[in-house]
Amino acid sequence: QVQVVESGGGLVQPGGSLRLSCTFSTSMFSIYTMAWYRQAPGKQRELVASIGSSRFTNYADYVKGRFTISRDNVLNTAYLQMNRLEPEDTAVYYCNAHALTSYWGQGTRVTVSS
């Protein structure tokens, strides 16, 4: 059964760092575009960053220079390194795997607060 599983969320102080992981259980991981979205309370889900099969990356303006997306095609895992976190980054972060079909994880909660 194909599954997308996120991990790595938690509580962090402003200015701190977290690394999110997303494991996608498929033998075709390398062809999928992997992306991170987030949804803050009362807001719509929004794209944070994506990385294609060619490793081309795309970032939302508000995370450029702070977040880095990467992938390991051997481990079937995508990562989101988040540095200099701000309270406004508080949200549930979702991993998406997209090729001909799109798969979503259940999300991992990130809370940035002192």
Side-chain angles (χ1 to χ4, degrees), residues 5-20:
V5 180
E6 305 101 331
S7 63
L11 173 64
V12 62
Q13 292 188 341
S17 298
L18 280 176
R19 188 177 81 156
L20 306 183

Side-chain angles (χ1 to χ4, degrees), residues 97-112:
H98 180 77
L100 294 180
T101 307
S102 194
Y103 298 91
W104 289 91
Q106 292 299 306
T108 185
R109 185 174 300 276
V110 173
T111 303
V112 184

Side-chain angles (χ1 to χ4, degrees), residues 29 50-58 69-74:
F29 178 84
S50 65
I51 182 166
S53 57
S54 63
R55 299 181 185 272
F56 178 81
T57 58
N58 179 54
I69 190 169
S70 60
R71 64 190 297 156
D72 185 326
N73 289 345
V74 174

Side-chain angles (χ1 to χ4, degrees), residues 12-109:
V12 62
Q13 292 188 341
S17 298
L18 280 176
R19 188 177 81 156
L20 306 183
S21 299
C22 169
T23 301
F24 182 37
S25 58
T26 174
S27 60
M28 302 295 290
F29 178 84
S30 63
I31 72 168
Y32 280 80
T33 292
M34 302 300 295
W36 288 95
Y37 289 74
R38 71 185 188 187
Q39 188 166 17
K43 295 188 176 181
Q44 289 189 329
R45 191 173 297 190
E46 58 187 6
L47 176 67
V48 176
S50 65
I51 182 166
S53 57
S54 63
R55 299 181 185 272
F56 178 81
T57 58
N58 179 54
Y59 294 93
D61 286 343
Y62 49 81
V63 303
K64 284 180 179 177
R66 300 190 297 127
F67 292 9
T68 302
I69 190 169
S70 60
R71 64 190 297 156
D72 185 326
N73 289 345
V74 174
L75 296 179
N76 284 15
T77 301
Y79 302 97
L80 185 68
Q81 178 66 44
M82 305 187 294
N83 298 327
R84 291 186 281 135
L85 283 160
E86 304 169 352
E88 293 74 20
D89 295 316
T90 294
V92 178
Y93 284 70
Y94 296 92
C95 181
N96 173 265
H98 180 77
L100 294 180
T101 307
S102 194
Y103 298 91
W104 289 91
Q106 292 299 306
T108 185
R109 185 174 300 276

